Amino acid sequence: MLGARPIYIAGPSFNLLPDDHTAHRALQRIEAHLAFGGRALIPLFVPEPERNLGRAREHVESDGTLLRFIALDEQLDDESRVQRTWTRYERVRGEETEVLEREWVVHWFSSGGFVDLAARAGLVAREIDVQREDLRPGAAVHLLTRG
């Protein structure tokens, strides 16, 4: 069991923090809110390059609305551990098409790098073995406690 007052950061949420500085500040806030004996679980992943750039993925809703997703372009920066993906979302209803384009920024961590970042925030981090079907391939879950 996790003990008192666990904190769980859902899915790949922590990877959406854009850089180490912001991640460090988030870890400091987690440390400040952890009760005595409390623990936090943070799943992390290293993103895979998008293999379907420019190819539309589509789904038709029961009312006939067409939903379409396209990864338009991607940029990987291994030095800063950042993946930027430019995407396009479309919703087509009859003759009307709504379009949203956005940039997704994913920042990843090496296991050792994350452990060091947590330690600078006053936390002890260790990777734990979690068998879950909903974890993406290559994902790792870290258990955090006060240092």
Side-chain angles (χ1 to χ4, degrees), residues 78-138:
D78 288 327
E79 185 175 324
S80 62
R81 300 176 326 281
V82 170
Q83 177 188 50
R84 296 179 186 284
T85 306
W86 288 269
T87 60
R88 179 183 183 107
Y89 298 85
E90 299 176 0
R91 179 175 24 205
V92 181
R93 283 189 205 143
E95 299 298 315
E96 181 184 331
T97 301
E98 295 177 64
V99 175
L100 171 67
E101 292 189 358
R102 68 170 296 190
E103 174 187 15
W104 281 98
V105 178
V106 174
H107 177 237
W108 70 88
F109 306 85
S110 67
S111 186
F114 182 76
V115 168
D116 292 344
L117 195 63
R120 289 196 348 249
L123 296 164
V124 175
R126 66 181 173 86
E127 193 172 322
I128 61 172
D129 185 26
V130 175
Q131 302 298 320
R132 292 193 50 145
E133 292 178 16
D134 60 338
L135 284 178
R136 18 170 97 218

Side-chain angles (χ1 to χ4, degrees), residues 28-73:
Q28 287 176 316
R29 299 312 308 146
I30 289 170
E31 192 277 337
H33 286 87
L34 233 81
F36 178 76
R39 298 168 188 213
L41 287 172
I42 299 182
L44 299 172
F45 76 100
V46 176
E48 296 276 326
E50 176 59 53
R51 291 175 286 219
N52 294 308
L53 284 177
R55 270 196 233 151
R57 290 178 241 176
E58 299 180 342
H59 170 77
V60 178
E61 297 282 285
S62 60
D63 67 356
T65 300
L66 172 67
L67 303 175
R68 182 180 296 134
F69 168 82
I70 306 167
L72 301 168
D73 196 9

